[in-house]
Amino acid sequence: MSSTKALMARRHATLGPHSLTFYDEPLQLVSGVGVWLRGADGVDYLDAYNNVPHVGHCNPVVVQAIADQAARLNIHTRYLHETVVEYAEALLETFASPLDRVSLVNSGSEANELALRIARQHTGHTGVLVSDFSYHGNTTSLAVLTTALTVREPLGAHVRALRVPDLDNDPRPEGTVLAEALAQARAAVDSLVESGHGVSAFLFDPLFSTEGLPRVPAGYLEGVVELVRAAGGLVVADEVQSGFGRTGTRMWGHELFGLSPELVTLGKPMGNGHPLGAVVTTPELLDEFGAANLYFNTFAGNPVSAAAGLAVLREMDDLELQAGTLKVGDRARVLLEELATRHSFVTAVKGTGLFFGLEFTEAALTKRVVEDMRRRGVLISRVGRHDTVLKVRPPLVFGHDHLTLLADRLAASLDALEAA
Amino acid sequence: MSSTKALMARRHATLGPHSLTFYDEPLQLVSGVGVWLRGADGVDYLDAYNNVPHVGHCNPVVVQAIADQAARLNIHTRYLHETVVEYAEALLETFASPLDRVSLVNSGSEANELALRIARQHTGHTGVLVSDFSYHGNTTSLAVLTTALTVREPLGAHVRALRVPDLDNDPRPEGTVLAEALAQARAAVDSLVESGHGVSAFLFDPLFSTEGLPRVPAGYLEGVVELVRAAGGLVVADEVQSGFGRTGTRMWGHELFGLSPELVTLGKPMGNGHPLGAVVTTPELLDEFGAANLYFNTFAGNPVSAAAGLAVLREMDDLELQAGTLKVGDRARVLLEELATRHSFVTAVKGTGLFFGLEFTEAALTKRVVEDMRRRGVLISRVGRHDTVLKVRPPLVFGHDHLTLLADRLAASLDALEAA
């Protein structure tokens, strides 16, 4: 550990002490392959946490695509290049019409920035609805609507934050929970309209990942969307976490609810770690924005990023990762339900597909399990309003054997916690 | 050209018609090496325009660094990794103390966003001074201070735009020009203070690239900086275009003026095309920001981006590109002065190092030369308030032979224009 300590000191002296690392003792990594990460300590860790390496750490097809294109040409979109068009076509094929246009960017933050610019300009309104425990990026416009992380900017006067209902944590009948949540949304919309901000956008993650994967009442999202549209607002699905087949059943999280957002934002898994994001929208919205704004993004849409994105989509197809995710995710649910019955401190099984977790009675327990699992060679994390939900969100190449290993270690960890 | 036309149609149907391309007929590219770009038309174009491929298109050292690291590990900074620390150290070595901390991001837009967040929080003010023909990025906060490109957002009430003086376009004595420009800056600062916005930052490109490389009076920047600091504002040097040795004489543009900015933002050439940006600042400012905000950036600081950035710095050293830039830039100046004397429509020679141009009497002429040079196999562009300045800003591996070729073709193009 002494070399890790020395490296941490050098990191503090360059990136500063507030550039956070996971775990009580930072984990230094040296290599990765598939769902495995090798530590500087020589240990191979099962990665059950990271969603960015979507088709596996150092996926050879993606690595080759990046290496080949980087050696051939990397240029911006002011010149014409075939690969960016090819990628745009392949990506848009995964969306239902009228989501037929894409603007490529470099990150989820850039995607949400652009989506909100488009929404504000189109509606002539500034108001934004978000959930009251959410995060959509690190720019100023996104900081003023950040409710889940500490930011010094106060919540914007044009922002209203909704408490997303969670049937797992609410003993009342579903209809009562739904009615109350929709009444709150209606009040938020009314407040935005009355204050003169109006509603430009409802920006949400269809899985409510940061919120801790709440089990929302049937009809909740549809109801909020109806209120937002009635006020002239647009629907922006932030698929940075819920997209690219993560749920197993659908390519995009918003499809779980039969929603047709006007804007969809993409990030994290899109380039398997290569910086890549996008806004997918309708021809009308992109044309309107493009006619009124000279929007250029130097790095976005370069052929290397496009080649990385294209390789991710092809690997998803070739390895049938969405179908695999559904199967492994379903079995995960069964195994987690079993664990839940064995420990009274587990209050719920959360999530869908390869984004799941166990809710505990208190944050001290999730913290101990996350640290303990690291010692057992498995990387997971925790999430939610009170940090009470174990967060398991592996690369989609996570197979049955990996799940068995995860479940065994998690069972042992929970037993140890029970015995402690 | 028919395949190019078909590709443009496919591009319009995916990225939309407002995703701009250069030239009357878009130029489709297929590969690049050093200062050469091969078109789909089979022509090898001399690239005298692109600053992003700083150490040359498809620089083999950078390509290898990206390929190797992508095959080994790509992960975010919540884990500890040596390469990102190594890169941060190498980058910070090029800055004078107290610019001893760096926060890595994915683009120049993300860099300026973060710099302004830091400046606003530190000063408690919101006001920003920019030039009246400038561009610093594509987010909402940057759109409201964009003065050079069309954006639908009006200039922010907290923004004041300064007319940067240009001795090449002002016949009055330097002292008069300076006094007037500083009086305008003083009025802008006073106006921000009186309106309650205060001054958070003066955000500027030390070369004033977008403005058309004006020849500013001695003492201008120093004078504005003094006014800004007296009002409690911070100095933010946007080195996205002027940095990384581009001027030949200095690594960073702000060093040309002996300035010590509190914040420096980096982008374009940093990763030779790999999406990479940064904010360099003082330990005090980064600590203050980090203590009050949980700032995380998923892609930024990943080891592949860091390896790309490190390879760029090493290539700059190994190929002695800054020294080469100085020599080639000096000779370019001589050749351009010669051309200027031969044509009455050339009104000035602009720029420094490998960022130079000729100012013409009217935009119609620069447009004709840019298109004509493309037909002659050389890529340049134009810039400035009235698009009257030819923009020549090649990769830094641009040598004497390339310059000779450029100068010959440019001479022929200007002769043709004279004869037309």
Side-chain angles (χ1 to χ4, degrees):
Chain A
M1 284 299 280
S2 70
S3 83
T4 291
K5 274 191 182 143
L7 187 56
M8 269 308 279
R10 288 168 58 199
R11 177 165 151 149
H12 284 169
T14 49
L15 306 185
H18 296 286
S19 173
L20 290 185
T21 47
F22 287 138
Y23 300 113
D24 291 339
E25 295 287 336
L27 177 57
Q28 184 182 349
L29 296 175
V30 293
S31 63
V33 58
V35 296
W36 296 97
L37 286 167
R38 179 160 294 178
D41 53 12
V43 174
D44 283 323
Y45 293 91
L46 178 67
D47 185 0
Y49 172 72
N50 287 293
N51 60 335
V52 174
H54 198 59
V55 295
H57 287 285
C58 304
N59 177 293
V61 172
V62 178
V63 168
Q64 196 63 49
I66 290 170
D68 286 351
Q69 188 56 51
R72 200 176 307 125
L73 181 63
N74 189 359
I75 199 76
H76 52 79
T77 55
R78 294 291 179 96
Y79 303 105
L80 187 58
H81 193 278
E82 189 156 16
T83 305
V84 64
V85 176
E86 219 178 316
Y87 178 49
E89 289 172 342
L91 184 65
L92 289 171
E93 258 177 40
T94 70
F95 286 90
S97 198
L99 292 170
D100 295 326
R101 291 290 182 276
V102 60
S103 186
L104 293 165
V105 296
N106 302 301
S107 66
S109 288
E110 287 194 353
N112 284 323
E113 270 286 338
L114 176 57
L116 290 184
R117 279 188 78 190
I118 292 173
R120 288 200 186 100
Q121 294 193 9
H122 176 75
T123 61
H125 303 149
T126 58
V128 182
L129 283 183
V130 291
S131 105
D132 73 348
F133 200 77
S134 61
Y135 172 69
H136 297 283
N138 54 38
T139 61
T140 299
S141 299
L142 299 172
V144 300
L145 49 80
T146 292
T147 50
L149 307 182
T150 302
V151 292
R152 191 150 154 200
E153 290 87 354
L155 201 69
H158 61 289
V159 180
R160 297 294 179 276
L162 306 177
R163 170 65 59 108
V164 178
D166 183 0
L167 295 172
D168 287 332
N169 283 296
D170 197 323
R172 297 174 299 166
E174 183 164 350
T176 309
V177 174
L178 176 64
E180 185 185 276
L182 289 182
Q184 195 206 25
R186 185 183 303 273
V189 167
D190 288 349
S191 159
L192 282 176
V193 172
E194 281 158 24
S195 62
H197 300 292
V199 181
S200 71
F202 169 43
L203 174 61
F204 70 103
D205 165 358
L207 283 186
F208 298 109
S209 313
T210 306
E211 293 83 342
L213 305 167
R215 184 160 61 90
V216 299
Y220 172 67
L221 266 174
E222 298 86 330
V224 176
V225 163
E226 197 180 320
L227 290 164
V228 166
R229 290 210 168 120
L234 302 185
V235 175
V236 186
D238 180 337
E239 298 271 4
V240 164
Q241 298 209 64
S242 61
F244 286 97
R246 169 69 48 190
T247 63
T249 49
R250 296 283 188 280
M251 180 69 171
W252 304 110
H254 65 267
E255 294 176 309
L256 294 173
F257 305 93
L259 297 176
S260 301
E262 281 84 17
L263 294 145
V264 180
T265 56
L266 310 177
K268 293 197 196 314
M270 199 171 173
N272 217 46
H274 193 94
L276 186 52
V279 176
V280 174
T281 186
T282 67
E284 289 66 30
L285 283 170
L286 193 61
D287 281 3
E288 182 189 75
F289 181 79
N293 301 270
L294 202 161
Y295 183 90
F296 180 63
N297 190 315
T298 300
F299 298 136
N302 75 70
V304 181
S305 295
L310 200 52
V312 168
L313 289 179
R314 286 181 178 159
E315 276 293 88
M316 283 192 63
D317 274 355
D318 289 352
L319 304 176
E320 300 180 354
L321 290 183
Q322 192 180 313
T325 294
L326 185 61
K327 282 186 204 154
V328 179
D330 281 352
R331 183 159 160 258
R333 184 95 202 172
V334 172
L335 296 175
L336 289 173
E337 300 278 7
E338 259 176 52
L339 284 179
T341 59
R342 281 163 43 193
H343 302 285
S344 58
F345 54 78
V346 179
T347 61
V349 177
K350 315 289 289 180
T352 176
L354 279 174
F355 199 151
F356 50 83
L358 289 175
E359 183 145 22
F360 285 9
T361 49
E362 52 168 324
L365 300 179
T366 51
K367 166 122 177 92
R368 283 168 66 181
V369 171
V370 169
E371 293 283 350
D372 182 61
M373 286 293 279
R374 178 232 171 129
R375 286 187 293 270
R376 294 172 192 269
V378 180
L379 308 182
I380 61 171
S381 187
R382 56 189 190 144
V383 74
R385 185 181 306 278
H386 306 294
D387 275 333
T388 48
V389 179
L390 288 184
K391 183 179 183 183
V392 185
R393 190 194 52 175
L396 291 203
V397 290
F398 201 81
H400 285 289
D401 290 354
H402 308 124
L403 177 62
T404 301
L405 201 153
L406 166 75
D408 287 352
R409 306 254 169 114
L410 188 57
S413 186
L414 299 196
D415 283 345
L417 188 62
E418 187 82 55
Chain B
M1 283 300 277
S2 70
S3 82
T4 292
K5 273 187 184 149
L7 187 57
M8 269 308 278
R10 287 168 59 199
R11 176 166 151 149
H12 284 170
T14 50
L15 306 184
H18 296 287
S19 173
L20 290 185
T21 48
F22 287 138
Y23 300 113
D24 292 338
E25 295 287 336
L27 177 57
Q28 184 182 347
L29 296 174
V30 294
S31 64
V33 58
V35 295
W36 297 97
L37 285 167
R38 178 158 296 176
D41 53 12
V43 174
D44 282 325
Y45 293 91
L46 178 67
D47 185 0
Y49 172 72
N50 288 293
N51 61 336
V52 173
H54 198 59
V55 296
H57 287 286
C58 303
N59 178 294
V61 173
V62 178
V63 169
Q64 196 64 49
I66 290 170
D68 286 351
Q69 188 56 52
R72 200 175 308 124
L73 181 63
N74 189 359
I75 199 76
H76 52 78
T77 56
R78 295 291 180 94
Y79 303 105
L80 186 59
H81 193 277
E82 189 157 17
T83 305
V84 65
V85 177
E86 220 179 312
Y87 177 49
E89 290 172 340
L91 183 65
L92 289 170
E93 258 177 40
T94 69
F95 287 90
S97 200
L99 292 171
D100 296 325
R101 291 289 181 278
V102 60
S103 186
L104 293 165
V105 295
N106 301 301
S107 66
S109 289
E110 285 194 356
N112 284 323
E113 269 286 337
L114 176 57
L116 291 184
R117 279 188 77 188
I118 292 173
R120 287 201 187 100
Q121 295 192 10
H122 176 75
T123 61
H125 303 148
T126 57
V128 182
L129 283 182
V130 290
S131 106
D132 73 348
F133 199 77
S134 60
Y135 172 70
H136 296 283
N138 53 37
T139 61
T140 299
S141 300
L142 300 172
V144 301
L145 50 80
T146 293
T147 51
L149 308 182
T150 303
V151 291
R152 193 152 153 198
E153 289 87 354
L155 202 69
H158 61 288
V159 181
R160 297 294 179 276
L162 305 177
R163 170 65 59 110
V164 178
D166 183 0
L167 296 172
D168 287 331
N169 282 297
D170 197 321
R172 297 174 299 169
E174 183 163 350
T176 311
V177 174
L178 176 64
E180 185 185 275
L182 290 182
Q184 195 206 24
R186 184 182 303 273
V189 167
D190 289 349
S191 159
L192 281 176
V193 172
E194 281 157 23
S195 62
H197 300 293
V199 181
S200 71
F202 169 42
L203 174 61
F204 70 103
D205 164 359
L207 284 186
F208 298 108
S209 313
T210 305
E211 293 83 342
L213 306 165
R215 184 159 62 87
V216 299
Y220 172 66
L221 266 173
E222 299 85 331
V224 176
V225 162
E226 197 181 318
L227 291 164
V228 166
R229 290 209 169 122
L234 303 185
V235 175
V236 186
D238 179 338
E239 298 271 5
V240 165
Q241 297 210 66
S242 61
F244 286 99
R246 169 69 49 190
T247 64
T249 49
R250 296 283 188 281
M251 181 69 170
W252 304 110
H254 65 266
E255 295 175 308
L256 294 173
F257 305 93
L259 296 176
S260 301
E262 282 84 16
L263 293 145
V264 180
T265 55
L266 310 178
K268 292 195 195 314
M270 199 170 173
N272 216 46
H274 193 95
L276 185 53
V279 175
V280 174
T281 187
T282 67
E284 289 68 28
L285 283 171
L286 193 62
D287 281 3
E288 182 188 73
F289 181 79
N293 301 271
L294 201 163
Y295 183 89
F296 180 63
N297 189 316
T298 300
F299 298 137
N302 74 72
V304 181
S305 295
L310 200 53
V312 168
L313 289 178
R314 285 181 179 160
E315 275 294 88
M316 283 193 63
D317 275 354
D318 289 351
L319 303 176
E320 299 180 356
L321 290 184
Q322 191 180 312
T325 294
L326 185 60
K327 283 185 202 153
V328 179
D330 282 351
R331 182 157 161 261
R333 185 95 202 172
V334 172
L335 295 176
L336 289 173
E337 299 279 7
E338 258 175 53
L339 284 180
T341 59
R342 280 162 45 191
H343 301 285
S344 58
F345 54 79
V346 178
T347 61
V349 176
K350 315 290 289 180
T352 177
L354 279 175
F355 199 151
F356 49 83
L358 290 176
E359 183 146 21
F360 285 9
T361 49
E362 51 170 325
L365 299 179
T366 51
K367 165 118 178 96
R368 283 167 66 180
V369 170
V370 169
E371 293 283 350
D372 182 62
M373 286 292 279
R374 179 231 172 131
R375 285 186 294 269
R376 293 172 193 271
V378 180
L379 307 182
I380 61 172
S381 187
R382 57 191 189 144
V383 74
R385 185 180 306 277
H386 307 294
D387 276 333
T388 50
V389 179
L390 288 183
K391 183 177 182 183
V392 184
R393 189 194 51 175
L396 290 202
V397 290
F398 201 80
H400 284 289
D401 291 353
H402 307 124
L403 178 62
T404 301
L405 201 153
L406 166 75
D408 288 351
R409 305 252 169 117
L410 188 57
S413 186
L414 299 196
D415 284 344
L417 188 62
E418 187 81 55

